[in-house]
Amino acid sequence: MASSFGLLLRRGLSTSALRCDMVRTPIPTFGLTGCYAQALYSASVKSKTKENVAKDLVTIGGMFQSQKVADFMNDPFIKSDIKLGLLKEVATKAGMSNTSVNFFGVLAENNRLDLISDVTDIFARLMSAEKGEIPATVTTAQALDAKQKKEVETALAKFVNKNEKIILTEKVDPSLLGGMVVNIGDKFTDMKYIDMSTSSKIKTYLELIKQPV
């Protein structure tokens, strides 16, 4: 693939000097997938296509939900130009940006189309971080009612800066018995973990009882 984006991405994965020329992401990214996401983010910022790229990733990610499509695209014995041809056809019909098409081409060329799902997740998190959104998960023994949810959101807001906003996800785990477990942040940020569940307290008490006098 001869596109400038492809060259930037390939070199960016191995050349620290070129990575310095990339647009800084709002939160750090790690590993190979993080490198791809960072290069895509940088290219989309420079081409002013961030919103379009985010939508394009979701569209392609939806395609990969089909096992037949996923198997075809991840098959190392199928030539990358055949995969890219199919992707370009879909991209053209969907009106995708050139930045997205070039990125898919680089993944196809490097037999890394299996990374699309993870790159989509990271890219979405980068977009969210730009808005000051901080993910938080609250796990309780029973579902929270509207009042309880509001109280939790108010309490969690004290853990973040004034220009940041908590995006709450609720989970139910009956094994907690009571109380709640809170996770603030994600694998891309400094995560805070707070365990206020009854089962956690019981476990602590049991460990104390087992200790020799």
Side-chain angles (χ1 to χ4, degrees), residues 9-10 13 31-33 35-37 57 60 64 70 72-76 78-80 83 87 103-120:
L9 183 56
R10 283 196 296 273
L13 295 176
L32 178 61
T33 306
C35 288
Y36 277 111
L57 286 171
I60 291 296
F64 275 67
F72 177 84
M73 288 297 184
N74 294 326
D75 190 335
I78 298 177
K79 294 183 178 179
S80 59
K83 298 176 183 177
L87 284 172
F103 176 69
F104 298 145
V106 171
L107 290 183
E109 182 180 9
N110 295 330
N111 289 316
R112 291 292 185 179
L113 286 170
D114 59 312
L115 297 181
I116 282 184
S117 178
D118 289 338
V119 170
T120 299

Side-chain angles (χ1 to χ4, degrees), residues 23-44:
V23 175
R24 187 182 183 88
T25 54
I27 53 177
T29 61
F30 304 98
L32 178 61
T33 306
C35 288
Y36 277 111
Q38 181 186 8
L40 177 58
Y41 177 83
S42 180
S44 68

Side-chain angles (χ1 to χ4, degrees), residues 26-27 44 59 77 101-102 137 154-155 178 191 210-211:
I27 53 177
S44 68
T59 299
F77 298 104
V101 175
N102 289 336
T137 302
T154 300
M191 182 181 292
K210 292 177 181 177
Q211 290 182 3

